[in-house]
Amino acid sequence: MIQFENIYKKYPNGIVALNGVNIEIKQGEFVYVVGPSGAGKSTFIKMIYREEQPTDGKITVNGLSLGKLKRKRVPYLRRQIGVVFQDFKLLPRLTVYENIAFALEVIEESPAAIRQRVMDVLDLVGLRHKAKMLPAELSGGEQQRVAIARSIVNVPKVVIADEPTGNLDPETSWDIMNLFEQINARGTTIIMATHNKEVVNTIRHRVIAIEDGLIVRDAAGGDYGYEA
Amino acid sequence: MKPRTTARHFRESFKSLGRNAWMTFASVSAVTVTLLLVGVFVLIMMNLNKVADDLERDVEIKVFVSLTADEAATESLETAINGMPGVLSVDFSTKEEELQDLITDYGDELSLYKQSNPLYDVFYVKAENPQQTASVAKGIAALEGIEDVKYGEGKIEKLFSFLNLSRNVGLVLILALLFTAMFLISNTIRITIVARRHEIEIMKLVGATNWFVRIPFILEGMWLGVLGAIIPIALVTMLYYNVTEYAQPRLNDELIQLLDFTPFIYQVNGLILLMGVFIGVWGSFMSIRKFLKV
């Protein structure tokens, strides 16, 4: 469902972030993206939801060729992709419920459907009882669960997570990983950039290692392979 | 767009006005001051223009008919002048009528001249476009049977160039004021946008279209413009009401007249409101552009 063909990316400041990347990720896969900081992981991830565009090469997501995608169509691509960040990116003035509902309001869902969907995902992440709280009243792990709930509330085919456990303590990290496992079990593709060696070596999945803009390793059930 | 979404946009735009109350106050004041200046300026400009038109309309060409021309020749002259391009109206006045006018103006002593009238028969000619008076006059002077043509040569050219200059200066000043207001509004909106760029980023990431993000901000700009127009409209209306109340009776029967209060003040107020909305909408449109490139 996601295909990179000879992707080359050079930033205006001259830095080459990706230097000929070829990869294919199938529907329902769980993929870790690992590698040192500055190796091109973020660029790789951002290209999937078209926050960055390659200088050269062809990206296909869900049958859409991103190079040919008109700017006006980008919002519709993003509705098929959920994104989770290290810093959660919740809106501080909105309650947990409103934060999640926001993703559906923006795509003009009906209020009844919004209520139903938001309650469903709140159940899934186990935060139904905290729906009326503000993000600042929650722990880091709970905030990340809200962010995950928001990313899956419109039932995307793929969830992209950029260091989702980067700001969390180890114990909380395992809870979050469990959640991703559950989402993956329902058929959603997960692509996760991470530095968490423990997680990668324990919950085994396909590992893609990027170094200096190249894929140096691509192994199903592989290990982290770097000293943490 | 669904009605529900429209309602949401309106709600959001109002919320943002309240949330950024101080910025709202700042930019509404800026708009108020600008529109007030523009409003007063428009009042002055439009009335100056009216005065200029009145003065221009009063410019006429006095054509002296040669003494040798008989009645038939005079009549054919009138048709000839009437038929010339750019001529609006031709009024004939015999030398007897001319003398009578002088007697009314300067007194009965002049009645002596009734025995042997030294005056000429005269055509009073107005040009369609007063600014073309000179060329029309030249055309008439070239006709057969004309003794002389007078139109205040030199003086009216100066008058016209002064009037044209003041019109242009006024227009430039109004444009400069509008530009300043637009700049102020777009800065204000930019600050409210910077405060909400996080929100915009998330909206874009969950698949909001650009218009969905943009509309609340544009509405907000519109409200800023509308709010900023209220005080100028009230003040300008009061001001002009008092001016016309004071001046109208005193200008009775004068050549120069002010514009009437009623249709004019609606036009001016409409213009102020429109400009408020325009600078608000344009200001926010410009400042949100770069934040949409997520």
Side-chain angles (χ1 to χ4, degrees), chain B residues 170-218:
Chain B
L171 197 65
V172 167
L173 282 175
I174 287 179
L175 286 178
L177 282 171
L178 285 181
F179 190 76
T180 316
M182 225 136 81
F183 179 75
L184 285 167
I185 289 209
S186 81
N187 258 343
T188 310
I189 300 254
R190 186 168 305 159
I191 289 168
T192 73
I193 292 174
V194 168
R196 297 173 66 186
R197 70 194 303 177
H198 204 56
E199 195 173 326
I200 293 175
E201 188 190 350
I202 292 166
M203 285 170 103
K204 301 266 351 213
L205 284 177
V206 296
T209 57
N210 278 349
W211 278 108
F212 190 92
V213 179
R214 210 181 270 145
I215 286 173
F217 288 104
I218 287 178

Side-chain angles (χ1 to χ4, degrees), chain B residues 264-284:
Chain B
F264 176 57
I265 202 69
Y266 295 134
Q267 291 157 4
V268 172
N269 287 343
L271 189 71
I272 292 175
L273 187 64
L274 254 173
M275 283 191 294
V277 168
F278 175 76
I279 52 185
V281 167
W282 188 248
S284 47

Side-chain angles (χ1 to χ4, degrees), chain B:
Chain B
M1 199 176 2
K2 297 177 182 173
R4 188 172 59 242
T5 312
T6 315
R8 177 200 175 274
H9 289 325
F10 273 87
R11 231 174 21 244
E12 285 297 312
S13 68
F14 287 129
K15 264 197 226 161
S16 178
L17 284 180
R19 213 177 283 136
N20 306 294
W22 277 108
M23 285 317 297
T24 302
F25 177 74
S27 52
V28 167
S29 328
V31 178
T32 299
V33 171
T34 318
L35 288 182
L36 191 60
L37 284 172
V38 169
V40 170
F41 229 84
V42 168
L43 284 186
I44 295 172
M45 284 304 302
M46 296 300 282
N47 274 297
L48 264 184
N49 214 12
K50 171 79 163 63
V51 168
D53 282 349
D54 289 345
L55 286 178
E56 281 184 353
R57 211 164 296 128
D58 199 49
V59 169
E60 57 188 7
I61 306 166
K62 196 172 181 182
V63 180
F64 299 88
V65 180
S66 167
L67 290 172
T68 55
D70 57 13
E71 216 167 296
T74 311
E75 239 166 68
S76 68
L77 261 180
E78 179 160 8
T79 4
I81 296 172
N82 249 326
M84 286 175 66
V87 169
L88 180 70
S89 67
V90 181
D91 282 317
F92 181 64
S93 166
T94 63
K95 56 183 168 187
E96 286 76 24
E97 286 163 342
E98 286 291 287
L99 183 59
Q100 197 52 52
D101 281 352
L102 282 179
I103 290 167
T104 1
D105 285 353
Y106 294 103
D108 265 340
E109 306 88 278
L110 293 173
S111 307
L112 289 172
Y113 286 106
K114 275 187 177 166
Q115 267 90 77
S116 87
N117 189 336
L119 300 175
Y120 293 86
D121 291 337
V122 170
F123 288 114
Y124 290 101
V125 180
K126 288 196 178 191
E128 260 168 25
N129 179 355
Q131 310 238 7
Q132 280 169 0
T133 302
S135 66
V136 170
K138 252 180 223 134
I140 294 173
L143 291 174
E144 196 75 28
I146 301 285
E147 183 69 31
D148 197 7
V149 168
K150 287 218 167 82
Y151 64 94
E153 197 174 353
K155 268 183 261 167
I156 65 160
E157 278 89 350
K158 268 184 206 147
L159 175 68
F160 287 156
S161 69
F162 172 72
L163 293 176
N164 286 340
L165 180 73
S166 55
R167 279 180 191 137
N168 290 338
V169 168
L171 197 65
V172 167
L173 282 175
I174 287 179
L175 286 178
L177 282 171
L178 285 181
F179 190 76
T180 316
M182 225 136 81
F183 179 75
L184 285 167
I185 289 209
S186 81
N187 258 343
T188 310
I189 300 254
R190 186 168 305 159
I191 289 168
T192 73
I193 292 174
V194 168
R196 297 173 66 186
R197 70 194 303 177
H198 204 56
E199 195 173 326
I200 293 175
E201 188 190 350
I202 292 166
M203 285 170 103
K204 301 266 351 213
L205 284 177
V206 296
T209 57
N210 278 349
W211 278 108
F212 190 92
V213 179
R214 210 181 270 145
I215 286 173
F217 288 104
I218 287 178
L219 286 175
E220 188 182 342
M222 193 173 87
W223 303 137
L224 291 177
V226 171
L227 288 174
I230 293 173
I231 293 176
I233 285 178
L235 286 183
V236 161
T237 306
M238 266 178 357
L239 176 75
Y240 199 61
Y241 180 75
N242 286 313
V243 167
T244 46
E245 282 292 289
Y246 176 83
Q248 220 71 300
R250 285 167 180 77
L251 286 175
N252 238 344
D253 291 335
E254 293 287 335
L255 167 65
I256 295 168
Q257 291 287 324
L258 292 183
L259 289 158
D260 288 335
F261 180 72
T262 32
F264 176 57
I265 202 69
Y266 295 134
Q267 291 157 4
V268 172
N269 287 343
L271 189 71
I272 292 175
L273 187 64
L274 254 173
M275 283 191 294
V277 168
F278 175 76
I279 52 185
V281 167
W282 188 248
S284 47
F285 195 85
M286 291 317 283
S287 48
I288 197 170
R289 270 198 325 183
K290 73 170 191 188
F291 293 95
L292 286 174
K293 288 181 192 149
V294 178

Side-chain angles (χ1 to χ4, degrees), chain A residues 79 89 93 106 108-109, chain B residues 2 4-5 199 202 207-208:
Chain A
R79 289 174 194 188
K89 290 202 201 281
R93 286 181 290 94
V106 157
E108 304 187 43
E109 273 287 352
Chain B
K2 297 177 182 173
R4 188 172 59 242
T5 312
E199 195 173 326
I202 292 166

Side-chain angles (χ1 to χ4, degrees), chain A residues 2-72:
Chain A
I2 295 171
Q3 207 165 3
F4 277 53
E5 288 171 53
N6 289 316
I7 296 304
Y8 177 81
K9 173 72 180 180
K10 185 175 182 176
Y11 283 103
N13 61 10
I15 291 171
V16 177
L18 294 179
N19 197 2
V21 165
N22 287 290
I23 199 92
E24 190 182 350
I25 296 169
K26 295 203 168 64
Q27 179 64 46
E29 272 194 279
F30 194 129
V31 181
Y32 294 117
V33 182
V34 301
S37 304
K41 290 199 302 289
S42 283
T43 304
F44 175 79
I45 286 225
K46 282 177 180 168
M47 277 180 178
I48 300 172
Y49 56 96
R50 204 178 176 278
E51 190 168 337
E52 295 291 349
Q53 282 180 275
T55 321
D56 196 20
K58 190 180 167 210
I59 303 177
T60 317
V61 175
N62 254 339
L64 286 171
S65 173
L66 299 201
K68 288 181 196 147
L69 194 66
K70 293 205 180 89
R71 275 183 78 90
K72 282 182 81 164

